[in-house]
Amino acid sequence: VSGITVEEVFDVMFLNPKDITSVPTAIHSINDEYLQGAASYKEKMMSILDLEKIFVKGELLVNEIV
């Protein structure tokens, strides 16, 4: 059993798998291995996390306020 703590949920939406694209080069980083892809959201692009990889590897620490 595992989980992720969040402070607030802003929106919930259905995402069709055909709408997921590869990670754009503009948002590439050293942690790309934790991303499944990207999808548009309200005129912006959102990154889609690979939660299975995050839980299995367990080496990623996110402590960032956006």
Side-chain angles (χ1 to χ4, degrees), residues 23-34:
V23 179
T25 55
I27 61 171
H28 277 285
S29 74
I30 60 171
N31 293 320
D32 280 355
E33 66 179 298
Y34 296 103

Side-chain angles (χ1 to χ4, degrees), residues 19-25 27-28 35-39 45-48:
D19 295 332
I20 299 173
T21 62
S22 59
V23 179
T25 55
I27 61 171
H28 277 285
L35 299 179
Q36 280 188 334
M45 290 299 286
M46 66 176 168
S47 299
I48 301 170

Side-chain angles (χ1 to χ4, degrees), residues 2-47:
S2 59
I4 296 177
T5 303
V6 297
E7 290 184 21
E8 187 173 354
V9 175
F10 295 102
D11 199 357
V12 176
M13 62 182 274
F14 170 77
L15 184 59
N16 191 323
K18 70 178 180 113
D19 295 332
I20 299 173
T21 62
S22 59
V23 179
T25 55
I27 61 171
H28 277 285
S29 74
I30 60 171
N31 293 320
D32 280 355
E33 66 179 298
Y34 296 103
L35 299 179
Q36 280 188 334
S40 33
Y41 175 75
K42 295 186 179 181
E43 301 177 9
K44 295 183 179 182
M45 290 299 286
M46 66 176 168
S47 299

